[in-house]
Amino acid sequence: MKTQALVGLGLMAVALTACGGRQPLKPVKGQSLPAVPVGAATAPTAAQLMQPSIQARPERNVELLTQSRKRGDDPFDLPPEKQPQ
């Protein structure tokens, strides 16, 4: 009984994953794509709008720290000012 339920659940999961559409994105009826950005010659396509910018997805820095180092003096590490009471 349990194996039938697991098999049924697996088949439902496979069926749900096949439901995704592969057509290009289009704006909803009555809506339009965003305005042309300032300085751009043409409006971006839906695929370009879905591509994250380099700021939204920066590359990882995988440099490993192999030895401990003492932190240098930080001239901006100042104690907080006393607030008048």
Side-chain angles (χ1 to χ4, degrees):
M1 184 78 174
K2 288 183 180 181
T3 55
Q4 290 176 346
L6 288 175
V7 170
L9 186 62
L11 289 175
M12 286 177 34
V14 169
L16 283 176
T17 59
C19 291
R22 294 289 179 182
Q23 290 111 15
L25 297 174
K26 298 176 188 167
V28 179
K29 287 184 182 177
Q31 299 280 329
S32 62
L33 288 174
V36 179
V38 174
T42 59
T45 64
Q48 291 170 333
L49 290 172
M50 294 294 293
Q51 189 74 16
S53 70
I54 201 73
Q55 289 179 332
R57 188 174 243 173
E59 292 184 16
R60 286 186 65 194
N61 182 1
V62 292
E63 177 185 345
L64 298 176
L65 184 61
T66 56
Q67 292 182 338
S68 299
R69 290 180 284 197
K70 187 169 176 139
R71 292 179 94 177
D73 186 31
D74 185 2
F76 297 103
D77 187 19
L78 302 173
E81 294 181 17
K82 292 186 178 180
Q83 297 293 327
Q85 293 182 5

